[in-house]
Amino acid sequence: MPQTPQEVLNLIREQDIKIIDLKFIDTPGIWQHCSFYHDQIDESSFADGVPFDGSSIRGWKAINESDMMMVPDPTTAWIDPFMKEKTLSLICSIKEPRTGEFYNRDPRTIAQKAVDYLISTGLGDVAFIGPEAEFFIFDDVRFDQTENKGYYYLDSVEGRWNSGKEEGPNLGYKPRYKEGYFPVPPTDTQQDIRTEMLLTMAECGVPIEKHHHEVATGGQNELGIRFATLVQAADYLMTYKYVIKNVAKKYGKTVTFMPKPLFQDNGSGMHTHQSIWKDGQPLFAGDKYAGLSQMALHYIGGLLKHAPALLAITNPTTNSYKRLVPGFEAPVNLAYSQGNRSASIRIPLSGNNPKAKRLEFRCPDATCNPYLAFAAMLCAGIDGIKNQIDPGEPLDVDIYELSPEELAKVPSTPGSLEGALEALEKDHAFLTDTGVFTEDLIQTWISYKLDKEVNPMRLRPHPYEFALYYDC
């Protein structure tokens, strides 16, 4: 893959590429793009940027301040495998044309500021992030909401609910609820599509590892990618989502990263592995609990202390909190453990290899904006290190064997997006005092989520309310 602007321009000439597709991310976390004829991109584009109108981008500028510049990163170049005409993809950060400064609401810029902040503290010089994003592949999805009706309908050939359906013929291999992890074909019908997804990601420069079926019935899956530096990990995750959705579309299927699309089965999370290094040396390995260093324990302390506020960014949808409930392997307990998967932070087994020592924050889901989520997690961890926050004792007992009195002593995740946003309103100095997040962005985030998601959900009757209350 190219590393410099000149290498990108050479690739364009050598492969006679006509179209350059510039991608960037909006505040909620959706990729946006604009495609340019190749002669519109030259070496200066990689420094000064390419102009576009930012007034219609969610969470961004007003119409009277709409001019923005997309600045492509040459290290993110890959040829798009889904376009008829050969098209080169480049991921961009955003600049303000009036000042020449990077835009303080651009999520990719914020992610880079988090890395710069880490370096400025002297604690480390690189943060490694390894996201594990789960998703569902469905065969059909329909939903609607009007004044007099509201419904959704999902279907999958793998859905256990189809075990009695006439399919001409129904072959009977349907993963049982909570038992989709991970039987071989023919019960697993999605081997080939996952393989194509994985290999296509590799063509797009994402370092790949594995793929497998996940726990839920109805087509829950996961593809494994290697850890990377913070900004690069977010770039890879966006490419991951783009590739998976478009490969599924080729097969006539649809993908969702929605955390809880199915009632009474496991939801989709994004367990996020993280560690800090300095001068090529891992800093989270030591002689403390589970082979961790004192720095790592303090990092955990920061994550746990700020978790209620952090989840407003790492779990940013109303649906996120339908996943974070007991009984579905969900990490609802704000504690850490080397083996307990109901704890929000797990210490994976890494043998005697200090370079593999890391922690896994299990709360996030892939509806998040990864640039903001990874940056916020790093800021929370650094706050724990700087203030030597004690994470308390690990939760190594079986959570389901605890008495109600013992369980009441274990803090839990917020029960709703509204609760997480209230926590963020009260606790965000760990984000803003660093200079990574601005107060303006935090307030914009809270207002957007309340106005566009929390309050609209409040206004609409739920179908199950009719079952509960219609005859009252």
mmCIF file of all heavy atoms in Angstrom, residues 254-276:
data_model
loop_
_atom_site.group_PDB
_atom_site.id
_atom_site.type_symbol
_atom_site.label_atom_id
_atom_site.label_comp_id
_atom_site.label_asym_id
_atom_site.label_seq_id
_atom_site.Cartn_x
_atom_site.Cartn_y
_atom_site.Cartn_z
ATOM 1 N N THR A 254 -28.324 -8.661 4.041
ATOM 2 C CA THR A 254 -28.134 -7.367 4.689
ATOM 3 C C THR A 254 -27.463 -7.562 6.047
ATOM 4 O O THR A 254 -27.707 -8.563 6.726
ATOM 5 C CB THR A 254 -29.485 -6.633 4.857
ATOM 6 O OG1 THR A 254 -29.276 -5.392 5.538
ATOM 7 C CG2 THR A 254 -30.479 -7.466 5.646
ATOM 8 N N VAL A 255 -26.614 -6.617 6.415
ATOM 9 C CA VAL A 255 -25.850 -6.683 7.663
ATOM 10 C C VAL A 255 -26.264 -5.540 8.576
ATOM 11 O O VAL A 255 -26.500 -4.415 8.121
ATOM 12 C CB VAL A 255 -24.333 -6.615 7.374
ATOM 13 C CG1 VAL A 255 -23.554 -6.142 8.605
ATOM 14 C CG2 VAL A 255 -23.804 -7.964 6.927
ATOM 15 N N THR A 256 -26.348 -5.823 9.867
ATOM 16 C CA THR A 256 -26.525 -4.765 10.857
ATOM 17 C C THR A 256 -25.559 -4.952 12.012
ATOM 18 O O THR A 256 -25.289 -6.076 12.445
ATOM 19 C CB THR A 256 -27.969 -4.708 11.387
ATOM 20 O OG1 THR A 256 -28.080 -3.599 12.298
ATOM 21 C CG2 THR A 256 -28.362 -5.991 12.123
ATOM 22 N N PHE A 257 -25.025 -3.821 12.488
ATOM 23 C CA PHE A 257 -24.215 -3.789 13.710
ATOM 24 C C PHE A 257 -25.045 -3.313 14.902
ATOM 25 O O PHE A 257 -24.493 -3.050 15.975
ATOM 26 C CB PHE A 257 -22.997 -2.884 13.504
ATOM 27 C CG PHE A 257 -21.969 -3.468 12.575
ATOM 28 C CD1 PHE A 257 -22.063 -3.271 11.203
ATOM 29 C CD2 PHE A 257 -20.928 -4.230 13.063
ATOM 30 C CE1 PHE A 257 -21.125 -3.820 10.340
ATOM 31 C CE2 PHE A 257 -19.982 -4.784 12.208
ATOM 32 C CZ PHE A 257 -20.085 -4.579 10.839
ATOM 33 N N MET A 258 -26.339 -3.198 14.703
ATOM 34 C CA MET A 258 -27.268 -2.842 15.788
ATOM 35 C C MET A 258 -27.073 -3.821 16.946
ATOM 36 O O MET A 258 -27.057 -5.033 16.749
ATOM 37 C CB MET A 258 -28.692 -2.937 15.238
ATOM 38 C CG MET A 258 -29.774 -2.448 16.135
ATOM 39 S SD MET A 258 -31.338 -2.507 15.196
ATOM 40 C CE MET A 258 -32.493 -2.098 16.489
ATOM 41 N N PRO A 259 -26.884 -3.324 18.168
ATOM 42 C CA PRO A 259 -26.501 -4.208 19.275
ATOM 43 C C PRO A 259 -27.530 -5.275 19.638
ATOM 44 O O PRO A 259 -27.157 -6.384 20.010
ATOM 45 C CB PRO A 259 -26.289 -3.243 20.446
ATOM 46 C CG PRO A 259 -26.036 -1.925 19.819
ATOM 47 C CD PRO A 259 -26.834 -1.906 18.556
ATOM 48 N N LYS A 260 -28.815 -4.988 19.551
ATOM 49 C CA LYS A 260 -29.820 -5.950 20.018
ATOM 50 C C LYS A 260 -30.991 -6.012 19.039
ATOM 51 O O LYS A 260 -32.103 -5.561 19.335
ATOM 52 C CB LYS A 260 -30.309 -5.541 21.406
ATOM 53 C CG LYS A 260 -31.122 -6.609 22.129
ATOM 54 C CD LYS A 260 -30.291 -7.759 22.646
ATOM 55 C CE LYS A 260 -31.110 -8.642 23.587
ATOM 56 N NZ LYS A 260 -30.305 -9.706 24.203
ATOM 57 N N PRO A 261 -30.798 -6.615 17.880
ATOM 58 C CA PRO A 261 -31.912 -6.724 16.934
ATOM 59 C C PRO A 261 -32.891 -7.837 17.271
ATOM 60 O O PRO A 261 -34.041 -7.772 16.852
ATOM 61 C CB PRO A 261 -31.211 -6.991 15.597
ATOM 62 C CG PRO A 261 -29.938 -7.675 15.978
ATOM 63 C CD PRO A 261 -29.528 -7.076 17.292
ATOM 64 N N LEU A 262 -32.431 -8.882 17.997
ATOM 65 C CA LEU A 262 -33.274 -10.034 18.298
ATOM 66 C C LEU A 262 -33.640 -10.070 19.780
ATOM 67 O O LEU A 262 -32.769 -9.921 20.646
ATOM 68 C CB LEU A 262 -32.563 -11.344 17.941
ATOM 69 C CG LEU A 262 -32.247 -11.593 16.471
ATOM 70 C CD1 LEU A 262 -31.617 -12.969 16.303
ATOM 71 C CD2 LEU A 262 -33.488 -11.463 15.604
ATOM 72 N N PHE A 263 -34.893 -10.316 20.053
ATOM 73 C CA PHE A 263 -35.389 -10.493 21.422
ATOM 74 C C PHE A 263 -34.976 -11.869 21.942
ATOM 75 O O PHE A 263 -35.020 -12.867 21.223
ATOM 76 C CB PHE A 263 -36.917 -10.353 21.409
ATOM 77 C CG PHE A 263 -37.592 -10.642 22.715
ATOM 78 C CD1 PHE A 263 -37.213 -9.983 23.878
ATOM 79 C CD2 PHE A 263 -38.629 -11.561 22.781
ATOM 80 C CE1 PHE A 263 -37.852 -10.244 25.081
ATOM 81 C CE2 PHE A 263 -39.281 -11.835 23.980
ATOM 82 C CZ PHE A 263 -38.886 -11.172 25.124
ATOM 83 N N GLN A 264 -34.516 -11.926 23.170
ATOM 84 C CA GLN A 264 -34.217 -13.173 23.883
ATOM 85 C C GLN A 264 -33.041 -13.960 23.298
ATOM 86 O O GLN A 264 -33.009 -15.185 23.390
ATOM 87 C CB GLN A 264 -35.471 -14.076 23.940
ATOM 88 C CG GLN A 264 -36.601 -13.529 24.800
ATOM 89 C CD GLN A 264 -36.315 -13.574 26.291
ATOM 90 O OE1 GLN A 264 -35.354 -12.971 26.754
ATOM 91 N NE2 GLN A 264 -37.139 -14.262 27.053
ATOM 92 N N ASP A 265 -32.097 -13.277 22.675
ATOM 93 C CA ASP A 265 -30.840 -13.918 22.301
ATOM 94 C C ASP A 265 -29.725 -12.898 22.455
ATOM 95 O O ASP A 265 -29.981 -11.716 22.700
ATOM 96 C CB ASP A 265 -30.895 -14.467 20.869
ATOM 97 C CG ASP A 265 -30.027 -15.720 20.696
ATOM 98 O OD1 ASP A 265 -29.057 -15.877 21.471
ATOM 99 O OD2 ASP A 265 -30.309 -16.532 19.807
ATOM 100 N N ASN A 266 -28.484 -13.355 22.320
ATOM 101 C CA ASN A 266 -27.350 -12.483 22.572
ATOM 102 C C ASN A 266 -27.300 -11.311 21.590
ATOM 103 O O ASN A 266 -27.653 -11.452 20.417
ATOM 104 C CB ASN A 266 -26.041 -13.273 22.470
ATOM 105 C CG ASN A 266 -25.789 -14.112 23.699
ATOM 106 O OD1 ASN A 266 -26.719 -14.616 24.315
ATOM 107 N ND2 ASN A 266 -24.536 -14.255 24.068
ATOM 108 N N GLY A 267 -26.834 -10.179 22.087
ATOM 109 C CA GLY A 267 -26.634 -9.011 21.242
ATOM 110 C C GLY A 267 -25.216 -8.948 20.714
ATOM 111 O O GLY A 267 -24.376 -9.798 21.005
ATOM 112 N N SER A 268 -24.961 -7.923 19.907
ATOM 113 C CA SER A 268 -23.653 -7.730 19.274
ATOM 114 C C SER A 268 -22.884 -6.622 19.977
ATOM 115 O O SER A 268 -23.367 -5.495 20.082
ATOM 116 C CB SER A 268 -23.822 -7.382 17.792
ATOM 117 O OG SER A 268 -24.400 -8.446 17.083
ATOM 118 N N GLY A 269 -21.689 -6.952 20.441
ATOM 119 C CA GLY A 269 -20.830 -5.964 21.082
ATOM 120 C C GLY A 269 -19.597 -5.689 20.252
ATOM 121 O O GLY A 269 -19.442 -6.160 19.119
ATOM 122 N N MET A 270 -18.695 -4.928 20.845
ATOM 123 C CA MET A 270 -17.392 -4.663 20.231
ATOM 124 C C MET A 270 -16.347 -4.627 21.353
ATOM 125 O O MET A 270 -15.932 -3.564 21.812
ATOM 126 C CB MET A 270 -17.389 -3.352 19.436
ATOM 127 C CG MET A 270 -16.106 -3.145 18.628
ATOM 128 S SD MET A 270 -16.070 -1.575 17.753
ATOM 129 C CE MET A 270 -15.833 -0.420 19.117
ATOM 130 N N HIS A 271 -15.984 -5.811 21.835
ATOM 131 C CA HIS A 271 -14.951 -5.887 22.860
ATOM 132 C C HIS A 271 -13.698 -5.208 22.317
ATOM 133 O O HIS A 271 -13.270 -5.477 21.192
ATOM 134 C CB HIS A 271 -14.656 -7.340 23.214
ATOM 135 C CG HIS A 271 -15.884 -8.120 23.577
ATOM 136 N ND1 HIS A 271 -15.980 -9.486 23.405
ATOM 137 C CD2 HIS A 271 -17.078 -7.730 24.102
ATOM 138 C CE1 HIS A 271 -17.166 -9.903 23.805
ATOM 139 N NE2 HIS A 271 -17.843 -8.855 24.230
ATOM 140 N N THR A 272 -13.112 -4.328 23.124
ATOM 141 C CA THR A 272 -12.016 -3.496 22.632
ATOM 142 C C THR A 272 -10.767 -3.718 23.477
ATOM 143 O O THR A 272 -10.705 -3.327 24.652
ATOM 144 C CB THR A 272 -12.418 -2.004 22.663
ATOM 145 O OG1 THR A 272 -13.629 -1.840 21.893
ATOM 146 C CG2 THR A 272 -11.331 -1.146 22.052
ATOM 147 N N HIS A 273 -9.759 -4.359 22.868
ATOM 148 C CA HIS A 273 -8.484 -4.624 23.530
ATOM 149 C C HIS A 273 -7.623 -3.364 23.434
ATOM 150 O O HIS A 273 -7.615 -2.677 22.410
ATOM 151 C CB HIS A 273 -7.772 -5.796 22.857
ATOM 152 C CG HIS A 273 -8.536 -7.086 22.940
ATOM 153 N ND1 HIS A 273 -8.143 -8.147 23.737
ATOM 154 C CD2 HIS A 273 -9.691 -7.494 22.342
ATOM 155 C CE1 HIS A 273 -9.003 -9.139 23.621
ATOM 156 N NE2 HIS A 273 -9.960 -8.765 22.778
ATOM 157 N N GLN A 274 -6.879 -3.081 24.515
ATOM 158 C CA GLN A 274 -6.068 -1.861 24.513
ATOM 159 C C GLN A 274 -4.842 -1.994 25.406
ATOM 160 O O GLN A 274 -4.857 -2.711 26.406
ATOM 161 C CB GLN A 274 -6.905 -0.644 24.910
ATOM 162 C CG GLN A 274 -7.835 -0.838 26.096
ATOM 163 C CD GLN A 274 -9.022 0.110 26.052
ATOM 164 O OE1 GLN A 274 -8.860 1.312 26.250
ATOM 165 N NE2 GLN A 274 -10.204 -0.414 25.788
ATOM 166 N N SER A 275 -3.787 -1.299 24.989
ATOM 167 C CA SER A 275 -2.548 -1.263 25.769
ATOM 168 C C SER A 275 -1.753 -0.033 25.367
ATOM 169 O O SER A 275 -1.981 0.568 24.310
ATOM 170 C CB SER A 275 -1.710 -2.532 25.540
ATOM 171 O OG SER A 275 -1.298 -2.616 24.179
ATOM 172 N N ILE A 276 -0.818 0.334 26.248
ATOM 173 C CA ILE A 276 0.070 1.476 25.998
ATOM 174 C C ILE A 276 1.509 0.967 25.945
ATOM 175 O O ILE A 276 1.910 0.116 26.747
ATOM 176 C CB ILE A 276 -0.087 2.549 27.102
ATOM 177 C CG1 ILE A 276 -1.482 3.198 27.020
ATOM 178 C CG2 ILE A 276 0.990 3.623 26.993
ATOM 179 C CD1 ILE A 276 -1.763 4.183 28.134
#
